[in-house]
Amino acid sequence: MKFVAVLPHLDERQRRLYLASEAGALGHGGVTAVAGLAEVSESTIARGQEELAGEAEVLGRVRRPGGGRKSAAERDPGLAAALESLIEPHELGDPVSPLRWTTASLRDLARELTEAGHPVSAPVVGGLLHEMGFSLQGMAKTRAGRQVPDRDAQFRHINAAAERFLAEGLPVVSVDAKNKEPIGDFARPGRTYRPKGEPITAPDHDFTRPDTPLAIPYGVYDLGRDTGWVNVGTDGNTAAFAAESIRRWWNGRGRLDYPGATRLLITADAGGANSADSTLFKMDLAVLADDSGLDITVMHFPPGTSKWNKVEHRLFSRITHSLRGQPLTSYEVLLQTISATRTSTGLSVSAVLDENNYPTGRKLTRAERKAVEQRVERDEFHGEWNYTIAPHDPVQDPSTSPEQKLAAPIPPEATFLLTHPALTGMSRDQFDQLVDQLEFPDSVRRAEEFLGAAKPQHGRHHSAGQAGHGTAPFLGCSVYFGDRSGRCSSSWGGLPDGLELLCGSMGKHHDRATSYWPAFPGGFPL
């Protein structure tokens, strides 16, 4: 019968209207007949006839507006207010307010509301929160910290320089080191497609040991070519490692992509191994500039803005995506996974393993620091962030003797080994202090030049606590000894700058002033 075939496909209102139309077609007694055949009540058909007689409009829904069961908020007018009081305390951060229920689950909220006299289920609480404009969200790290002066101006300065270099066909790279990765059977965040019920398993506790191998990926992203180079270190993230990573990129990829380049622009963070304050990083870049013949311009992002560095979201984000959900059981697995990183925009990545040792604790002497600073040409705009290191030109360095030009530099590794405590019998700090004591200060040398023409003459001795003139046993200069406070001052006018300070540095009262000093026999009388 057609009722059995058609009615299951109609909703409540459609069935009511259809049966009313069939009953009207049968005439007198049609309501009773159709109700019996369709197994519905006569009142349902009568209600349908009333809707047809009133020219019922097409509603697009089963029930008329307002029909059906009332919502929980309508049945309980105080429910929404009670829920809002839980998730939004009147005084945000009030220590005596109930738990910050924005972090509670729907079941916790439903239980609290029920105990407060508002019986409700967890799904209803979820619907109410949605209606109130709430959604489940994680924390967003968007609030910037204290902004340094000229932060935005430095961004524009870097962008203008990068555009200028790229327009001239010169290389522009963004560099940074990624977090250390333990090598072994360790779980990693992320998910990968696997056969159902067959996940990649890992130990339930990830504890690294002192001998656990570590991988330190240092990335070099080429903005012009959209290529990445990752130097995976195994020792330490030092300035030497950062410079060596850039060197390897240039020798392995850069000089091939830019055969005629004479300049290189590097954008880097203000901290870390390639810190803007690191003299070691500048020294190693100077060596790279000498070897490659490049004028290396470095521009550091202001402190606290490392996320704007291109290598972060152009290279490292894609590498993290490639490394998701699988253990890095060996260096080879890490290298192959990084090298397989690709994007639809054409990004390609190369990865190499760097097993060199990069010891920490390297220190530069004053002469080395001065030499490095002379090589650095600082920009007029924030020279602490922007500077250029040009290749060394021996012709323009008259202070270098032919012997020094031919002498090979002592490798830092050799210096590090020769100053080992097992060889020197003292700690490295004690050795550095000894070197500082043996270095001849510039002020002493200037004093020698000033006093070099003095004639030898014997000084006079004075007993303890007695003021008078005498010759100093320190620096070979005569000073005026004061009282037991240890203060001394020169009574000679026109002495070189720093000489009086050095005399005052004796720091104690001398009861007897000797009249001899090896550099100045007989002293110099005042």
Side-chain angles (χ1 to χ4, degrees), residues 185-186 202-207:
D185 191 15
F186 300 102
D204 56 355
H205 288 79
D206 289 341
F207 294 123

Side-chain angles (χ1 to χ4, degrees), residues 261-516:
T262 58
R263 291 185 293 163
L264 167 65
L265 175 60
I266 300 174
T267 63
D269 296 347
N274 43 232
S275 169
D277 300 329
S278 174
T279 305
L280 289 171
F281 181 61
K282 296 181 180 67
M283 184 183 70
D284 294 333
L285 284 184
V287 177
L288 174 59
D290 296 341
D291 296 342
S292 62
L294 294 171
D295 286 354
I296 301 178
T297 300
V298 183
M299 291 186 166
H300 294 274
F301 284 88
T305 61
S306 61
K307 292 186 179 297
W308 278 265
N309 201 357
K310 293 292 184 183
V311 70
E312 292 282 354
H313 48 86
R314 293 281 186 87
L315 179 62
F316 286 163
S317 62
R318 303 308 308 173
I319 292 177
T320 301
H321 185 75
S322 300
L323 297 177
R324 72 190 187 280
Q326 56 181 334
L328 304 176
T329 55
S330 65
Y331 285 114
E332 185 65 24
V333 171
L334 176 61
L335 294 175
Q336 293 296 333
T337 305
I338 293 177
S339 300
T341 302
R342 298 288 186 274
T343 64
S344 58
T345 59
L347 172 69
S348 61
V349 184
S350 301
V352 295
L353 185 64
D354 186 350
E355 296 182 297
N356 293 331
N357 294 325
Y358 298 98
T360 59
R362 292 170 60 197
K363 293 185 179 180
L364 300 179
T365 63
R366 295 186 183 93
E368 289 174 330
R369 289 181 178 275
K370 184 177 180 180
V372 172
E373 188 60 32
Q374 291 176 346
R375 296 285 303 276
V376 177
E377 181 183 352
R378 298 190 179 274
D379 198 333
E380 294 181 357
F381 179 77
H382 280 285
E384 73 277 14
W385 294 339
N386 311 296
Y387 51 87
T388 300
I389 301 176
H392 179 65
D393 187 0
V395 178
Q396 298 180 359
D397 188 3
S399 62
T400 305
S401 63
E403 292 79 6
Q404 291 174 330
K405 294 178 183 178
L406 297 176
I410 300 177
E413 295 80 4
T415 304
F416 184 80
L417 293 176
L418 291 175
T419 59
H420 195 279
L423 298 177
T424 62
M426 63 183 72
S427 66
R428 295 190 186 278
D429 291 338
Q430 293 174 337
F431 185 84
D432 292 338
Q433 293 176 4
L434 178 60
V435 172
D436 292 338
Q437 293 173 2
L438 295 178
E439 285 184 346
F440 207 61
D442 292 339
S443 55
V444 177
R445 183 164 51 252
R446 286 187 284 118
E448 284 185 346
E449 295 173 356
F450 183 84
L451 300 174
K455 296 180 180 180
Q457 184 172 351
H458 291 285
R460 284 169 287 182
H461 299 275
H462 298 273
S463 60
Q466 184 179 9
H469 293 77
T471 54
F474 187 62
L475 301 181
C477 66
S478 298
V479 297
Y480 180 83
F481 291 112
D483 56 16
R484 290 184 180 272
S485 63
R487 294 188 299 243
C488 64
S489 61
S490 170
S491 60
W492 177 270
L495 287 176
D497 294 339
L499 181 56
E500 183 177 356
L501 175 62
L502 287 171
C503 292
S505 67
M506 297 173 67
K508 63 180 180 179
H509 172 75
H510 290 265
D511 60 348
R512 186 172 299 172
T514 181
S515 58
Y516 293 98

